[in-house]
Amino acid sequence: MSAILTVPTKQSPFPYAAPAIAAFTGKAEINFDNAATSLNLDFGGSSINDEEEIVQTLAKETGLFDGDAKALGFFALAKTLRALNAFPEIVSALDTLDDHLTFHTFLVGHEISGADWILWGSLKGNIKILGLLKNNQHPHIHRWFSHLESLPSTQTMLAEFTSAKADKARSNKTAAGFALGLQNAIDGQVVTRFPPEPSGYLHIGHTKAAILNQYFAKMYNGRLIIRFDDTNPSKERAEFEDTILEDLKLLDIHGDVVTHTSDHFDKIYDLAVKMITSGKAYADDTEQMQMRDERFNGIASKHRDDSVEDNLKHFDEMKASTIEGLRWCIRAKISVDDNNKALRDPVIYRCNVLPHHRTGDKWKIYPTYDFACPIVDSIEGVTHALRTNEYRDRNPQYHWMIDAVGVRKVNIWDFSRLNFVYTLLSKRKLHWFVDQGIVGGWDDPRFPTVRGIRRRGMTIEALTQFMLSQGPSQAVVSLEWDSIWTTNKKIIDPVAPRHWGVVKDKMVPVKINGGPSAPEVKMVPKHKKNAEIGEKKTVYSSSIIIEQEDAASFDYENNEELTLMDWGNAIVRSKEVDSSGTIVSVTMDLHLEGDFRKTKKKITWLAQATPEHPLPSVALVDFDYLITKKKLDESDNVADFVTPVSEFKEIALADANVLDLEKGAIIQFERKGYYIFDGETNGIREFFKIPDGKAAGIASKAGAPAVVADRARTAASPPSQPSAPPAPTPVSKMYQMEKIYADDTKADSDSRMYKMENIYKA
């Protein structure tokens, strides 16, 4: 390959077409360069910088471009689309293209051509167009666009581009080895598997594995197996299988088949007998702690050299669940003192008399994950086993097991485990929060479970993009949440309808001189930059309400002119305040002749409620992290680091258009943030705030949690004396907590934060 395509990773809009056709044709080596300032194809001794010319050159080399008028017309359309910003013009162009693709698989002829790639790249580089395509108003474009993007060459190129951007500090050599692909992969023959244990709910850590497994299965036109690793009756329940499948559906992950390790118990048992017979496994009754010490210190078990007959006899007793048999286990005979302690004669079978949720009382012995996993991977046809690199020391053990029982070999592809700051992934610790009543359940929006993060407004697209952007990185780090929420914002912003809300206890009535004598209703766009989102009803009245914060910011002495959003300008004339200095009313003159470009303040507002035009009450709910420490150590007691208050709720009035929203709808309350509609509680619609990736939105709001730790430790204990009835509190799904400070503690200003005494005072 003599041609080299240098692609600047920072160019905007990014020239997707050039690297896409280079990857598709294989006619140029792609070099994503963080330092490059312009696109360049070094081809046959000449240098080409224009993307259109680069695409045509590479297309001609493989017969994908002959220069006919129709193809040139699509090249011209691609150039036009790159420059379009106005939604009506974009929609018109997309409508025409969709009509063409109604009767055509590709733009020109019956094969992918250079015209397809130049136009695909133009659409891919326009964020507004991508937002419109998500609305499914152009199904034929969506079909064509998705096909080109799903090609293995395109997916590999996009992954390499993402990796190069994320790995700026690395050398080109390192970045080149960061490509997202599988070793020894053959198109149409790749089989991956996602093997969760049916003992709990999926969380953000599982998400990466699930997404990568499906990604590679689709990339190579292969198959994805969802396999339940049900080898421990003590922890597993049938209902968790249903919840895991529901969680995968929330991630838009669908396996080609669902299997269970228990489907193969007979075969695994036969292979264990084969290992014992061939001298590769033995029975051992060493106590657990002694066995742990012996393995650590490289000391052989006293039973390591027992006869095959004795080992088979003990295995039979284990299977029969006799009193003698329950004392024994089966260990693989790999090594006594290998430097890799995972190879020091690991246990491969143990007893468990509890009934299995699928096989009942048939078995009293069960294979360990380390023994069953490689065997079942091979039996079920898995070609590539994706594992987090915490299993890396066990990879030699995995291969040894396959060789020992004589089954087909499986490739291992490992990646780093995903960790986030202020986030618990331990099932035991998460269960503690549920048991203590600190959260409402496993789908609580503060939980890192799939249900929790989806309920808080995380989109499937953001999760997928973020996980793939991590690539096969081996670095084990605790990530901040800002990157994934920033990705999420980029996806929801172009399509989230805009609404208004005013917090009830902070609202200020405003009289508008020159306003309509009676309320008027007009239709305005739900999204000023995306007409396809539709329209909403806006009520205009001479009596409106605004936020206290806005009212306090006006310059009354100089009769400040401001803009009432979706209406026009108004001039502030006067205000009334109460004895505490709080503004209780404002008067303005409507000034529609004013220029909104010259005003500093653009404020949201709502027409005062009337019987004909009521304002529904909504709850705006924000959250904090559940713990106050970025990363808990193994020795940390979780109760010592619980955030004192992690839910904040405000009751607001909203425009009546929110009544049309369905559960799960994502919107933006302008000047407040993005929200997801969670449902209705006691007649009030609840909206959960979606983090946008900004530092202020994701920073921990908590401080020292000692008081909560005390409360958590004593939560289960009854009070020693009857307590006085508690004061009325607002209706909330949250747990109730005792007062942290005395009743006479006063807040100096409006704040969501709790107060604490000065730790430095004498």
Side-chain angles (χ1 to χ4, degrees):
M1 187 186 296
S2 58
I4 298 177
L5 177 67
T6 300
V7 186
T9 58
K10 298 179 182 178
Q11 183 168 330
S12 181
F14 185 75
Y16 284 101
I21 194 170
F24 181 72
T25 61
K27 289 296 181 180
E29 179 182 347
I30 305 171
N31 175 31
F32 290 107
D33 191 340
N34 290 305
T37 57
S38 62
L39 186 68
N40 180 73
L41 176 66
D42 186 355
F43 184 82
S46 62
S47 182
I48 307 173
N49 301 109
D50 180 71
E51 184 180 25
E52 182 175 311
E53 188 177 350
I54 289 172
V55 172
Q56 290 180 6
T57 299
L58 295 176
K60 287 176 182 176
E61 284 295 304
T62 48
L64 302 183
F65 179 75
D66 58 9
D68 70 351
K70 182 178 288 187
L72 289 173
F74 285 114
F75 273 82
L77 175 60
K79 189 172 183 179
T80 300
L81 283 172
R82 276 196 292 269
L84 290 182
N85 287 310
F87 271 96
E89 296 175 353
I90 294 175
V91 171
S92 177
L94 293 181
D95 287 345
T96 302
L97 179 60
D98 196 66
D99 290 342
H100 175 77
L101 286 170
T102 302
F103 302 103
H104 298 82
T105 303
F106 302 109
L107 296 180
V108 180
H110 302 289
E111 304 288 342
I112 297 175
S113 69
D116 291 288
W117 286 119
I118 192 70
L119 194 55
W120 176 85
S122 182
L123 301 184
K124 180 72 174 175
N126 190 317
I127 187 66
K128 293 182 179 179
I129 291 177
L130 292 180
L132 288 172
L133 292 181
K134 293 182 185 299
N135 294 331
N136 296 319
Q137 298 299 313
H138 300 92
H140 305 293
I141 296 178
H142 190 273
R143 177 261 308 162
W144 165 83
F145 184 90
S146 299
H147 173 68
L148 292 180
E149 183 153 323
S150 68
L151 294 174
S153 62
T154 310
Q155 288 293 307
T156 300
M157 180 275 293
L158 292 174
E160 290 176 349
F161 168 50
T162 302
S163 298
K165 285 198 305 179
D167 213 22
K168 293 178 183 177
R170 297 178 182 264
S171 66
N172 288 336
K173 180 179 179 181
T174 303
F178 204 71
L180 201 59
L182 296 177
Q183 74 275 27
N184 305 320
I186 300 175
D187 189 61
Q189 297 182 27
V190 168
V191 179
T192 62
R193 88 296 194 256
F194 177 62
E197 182 184 37
S199 60
Y201 295 79
L202 297 186
H203 56 59
I204 187 75
H206 298 115
T207 301
K208 183 175 182 180
I211 288 175
L212 284 175
N213 274 286
Q214 177 164 276
Y215 167 81
F216 283 125
K218 286 187 174 181
M219 177 177 175
Y220 292 103
N221 298 305
R223 297 170 60 243
L224 168 64
I225 297 171
I226 306 297
R227 181 201 307 147
F228 289 107
D229 176 47
D230 53 346
T231 58
N232 187 354
S234 300
K235 298 166 62 178
E236 297 148 4
R237 298 205 302 268
E239 53 264 37
F240 280 129
E241 293 188 8
D242 296 332
T243 60
I244 287 173
L245 291 175
E246 291 169 3
D247 288 344
L248 290 173
K249 187 176 180 181
L250 287 173
L251 294 173
D252 198 25
I253 290 175
H254 308 278
D256 294 281
V257 63
V258 176
T259 68
H260 298 76
T261 299
S262 57
D263 296 337
H264 309 282
F265 277 172
D266 288 294
K267 178 66 174 178
I268 297 170
Y269 171 79
D270 290 341
L271 291 174
V273 172
K274 177 181 177 181
M275 281 182 63
I276 295 173
T277 303
S278 62
K280 294 177 181 177
Y282 61 94
D284 193 5
D285 68 346
T286 304
E287 292 291 336
Q288 185 179 38
M289 292 305 298
Q290 181 182 342
M291 184 187 297
R292 185 177 301 169
D293 290 339
E294 289 179 351
R295 291 188 71 209
F296 183 83
N297 295 306
I299 300 172
S301 165
K302 61 185 178 182
H303 294 292
R304 195 171 197 271
D305 295 320
D306 284 359
S307 67
V308 170
E309 292 74 17
D310 284 344
N311 290 326
L312 289 174
K313 179 179 125 181
H314 291 308
F315 197 28
D316 286 340
E317 290 176 342
M318 288 173 60
K319 185 181 179 184
S321 187
T322 66
I323 295 177
E324 175 64 15
L326 294 176
R327 297 176 45 245
W328 294 78
C329 68
I330 302 298
R331 296 174 66 179
K333 197 173 185 179
I334 305 177
S335 173
V336 172
D337 55 1
D338 195 286
N339 288 334
N340 182 350
K341 292 183 173 62
L343 296 177
R344 295 185 180 181
D345 291 5
V347 173
I348 62 171
Y349 253 97
R350 76 284 199 212
C351 296
N352 192 326
V353 297
L354 294 176
H356 190 279
H357 67 278
R358 294 188 75 241
T359 62
D361 294 322
K362 177 180 178 180
W363 295 96
K364 304 298 183 182
I365 52 173
Y366 295 93
T368 61
Y369 176 84
D370 288 338
F371 183 55
C373 182
I375 292 173
V376 179
D377 281 347
S378 183
I379 292 173
E380 293 188 340
V382 172
T383 60
H384 293 80
L386 277 60
R387 292 153 64 104
T388 56
N389 54 15
E390 63 187 311
Y391 286 98
R392 180 166 293 169
D393 286 347
R394 297 187 184 184
N395 288 350
Q397 181 196 91
Y398 181 100
H399 293 305
W400 188 93
M401 297 292 182
I402 284 179
D403 290 338
V405 298
V407 293
R408 181 187 54 86
K409 295 185 182 298
V410 179
N411 294 289
I412 292 178
W413 191 92
D414 53 17
F415 56 92
S416 63
R417 175 180 170 135
L418 201 62
N419 296 306
F420 285 92
V421 296
Y422 299 112
T423 304
L424 296 171
L425 298 182
S426 161
K427 291 178 184 177
R428 177 178 58 82
K429 291 176 180 176
L430 292 175
H431 215 294
W432 181 86
F433 277 92
V434 176
D435 292 341
Q436 294 295 322
I438 296 175
V439 297
W442 289 90
D443 64 345
D444 192 283
R446 291 161 294 181
F447 254 20
T449 54
V450 168
R451 294 166 182 242
I453 59 177
R454 291 282 284 127
R455 188 179 173 198
R456 197 170 180 182
M458 181 67 69
T459 62
I460 295 170
E461 294 91 338
L463 280 168
T464 303
Q465 285 186 24
F466 182 80
M467 298 306 171
L468 294 181
S469 73
Q470 301 301 301
S473 169
Q474 301 300 318
V476 180
V477 295
S478 291
L479 302 172
E480 298 283 350
W481 280 92
D482 57 348
S483 295
I484 192 168
W485 285 119
T486 297
T487 301
N488 193 61
K489 177 190 173 183
K490 291 178 181 178
I491 290 169
I492 64 177
D493 179 73
V495 295
R498 272 47 174 172
H499 294 272
W500 292 345
V502 176
V503 178
K504 261 188 177 181
D505 61 1
K506 297 177 182 177
M507 67 183 189
V508 178
V510 179
K511 179 182 179 183
I512 303 293
N513 295 324
S517 57
E520 299 176 1
V521 179
K522 296 181 181 179
M523 302 300 292
V524 300
K526 290 181 178 178
H527 194 306
K528 296 178 181 65
K529 297 181 179 180
N530 189 350
E532 292 218 347
I533 301 301
E535 293 184 320
K536 63 180 179 180
K537 295 178 181 179
T538 298
V539 181
Y540 297 83
S541 170
S542 294
S543 299
I544 66 172
I545 55 174
I546 63 174
E547 296 273 6
Q548 177 72 226
E549 184 179 354
D550 286 331
S553 72
F554 300 154
D555 184 350
Y556 293 92
E557 292 184 3
N558 295 303
N559 299 122
E560 180 179 10
E561 186 168 356
L562 52 86
T563 299
L564 299 171
M565 292 171 63
D566 285 349
W567 194 349
N569 285 9
I571 299 172
V572 177
R573 292 303 182 191
S574 63
K575 66 177 178 180
E576 293 183 8
V577 300
D578 61 17
S579 57
S580 66
T582 302
I583 299 174
V584 295
S585 68
V586 173
T587 301
M588 300 181 186
D589 291 345
L590 198 61
H591 186 231
L592 299 181
E593 301 80 12
D595 188 349
F596 72 90
R597 290 169 295 185
K598 296 181 179 180
T599 60
K600 293 182 179 179
K601 297 186 179 77
K602 276 76 175 173
I603 68 169
T604 49
W605 53 276
L606 290 171
Q608 284 271 22
T610 65
E612 296 79 16
H613 303 290
L615 295 176
S617 292
V618 299
L620 306 181
V621 189
D622 196 5
F623 302 99
D624 194 2
Y625 299 114
L626 284 170
I627 57 175
T628 59
K629 188 177 180 181
K630 281 195 170 186
K631 181 182 179 182
L632 290 185
D633 298 323
E634 283 297 322
S635 59
D636 287 337
N637 180 2
V638 66
D640 294 332
F641 298 94
V642 179
T643 304
V645 179
S646 55
E647 182 187 75
F648 309 97
K649 183 181 293 189
E650 291 182 315
I651 302 301
L653 296 177
D655 63 79
N657 299 284
V658 301
L659 297 175
D660 299 327
L661 297 174
E662 296 182 358
K663 185 174 181 178
I666 291 177
I667 67 168
Q668 183 189 59
F669 278 117
E670 293 197 86
R671 302 176 66 226
K672 292 185 181 297
Y674 301 94
Y675 288 81
I676 182 169
F677 174 40
D678 188 63
E680 192 169 307
T681 302
N682 298 325
I684 296 179
R685 295 185 160 229
E686 292 197 330
F687 291 83
F688 292 166
K689 189 168 187 178
I690 305 172
D692 58 10
K694 294 179 181 178
I698 61 171
S700 175
K701 308 172 181 68
V707 175
V708 172
D710 292 339
R711 178 188 61 78
R713 291 193 193 95
T714 59
S717 302
S720 56
Q721 296 178 358
S723 57
T729 55
V731 175
S732 170
K733 291 181 178 178
M734 290 296 295
Y735 60 92
Q736 300 299 321
M737 61 183 292
E738 300 172 359
K739 289 182 179 295
I740 298 177
Y741 300 105
D743 291 336
D744 59 355
T745 301
K746 301 293 184 182
D748 296 326
S749 61
D750 290 337
S751 171
R752 289 177 171 180
M753 295 295 292
Y754 59 90
K755 297 298 182 183
M756 63 184 292
E757 294 180 358
N758 187 343
I759 62 175
Y760 300 108
K761 72 179 183 178

